[in-house]
Amino acid sequence: RQLGEREGLVKRNLSLRWDAGVIEYLLANGFDARYGARKLQRTLEAAIMTPIAKQLVESPDLRNTEFRISIENGHPQI
């Protein structure tokens, strides 16, 4: 939920929707007992937010869109 509330997304009326496979991916790849939540934050940034940010840079007029995130070939696809 917090990802979808980021200022850049809200200003453009962009939303995020993902399937259960994304949650499973994040649980499997975003946990490290030594680093705690920092690993999850890094995984979210690398797998989800960075690709979205690249799309926003490439399409600065993008508005009123829902990003659908799913897992394909073991990796998040947007």
Side-chain angles (χ1 to χ4, degrees):
R1 183 175 47 95
Q2 290 177 338
L3 292 177
E5 295 172 354
R6 289 189 175 194
E7 182 179 353
L9 298 176
V10 172
K11 280 183 176 180
R12 296 176 179 192
N13 194 30
L14 301 172
S15 61
L16 305 175
R17 186 170 81 175
W18 50 80
D19 60 28
V22 175
I23 302 299
E24 292 173 20
Y25 174 87
L26 293 172
L27 288 172
N29 294 284
F31 177 76
D32 186 319
R34 186 171 41 181
Y35 297 112
R38 286 177 282 183
K39 173 73 173 173
L40 178 59
Q41 181 65 33
R42 289 182 184 130
T43 302
L44 282 166
E45 289 294 328
I48 308 240
M49 295 314 295
T50 298
I52 289 173
K54 287 179 181 178
Q55 286 187 23
L56 295 177
V57 168
E58 292 171 0
S59 302
D61 294 329
L62 186 64
R63 303 241 186 290
N64 306 315
T65 301
E66 178 179 74
F67 286 103
R68 294 182 183 161
I69 307 159
S70 61
I71 300 297
E72 294 179 21
N73 299 320
H75 298 286
Q77 299 296 312
I78 300 169

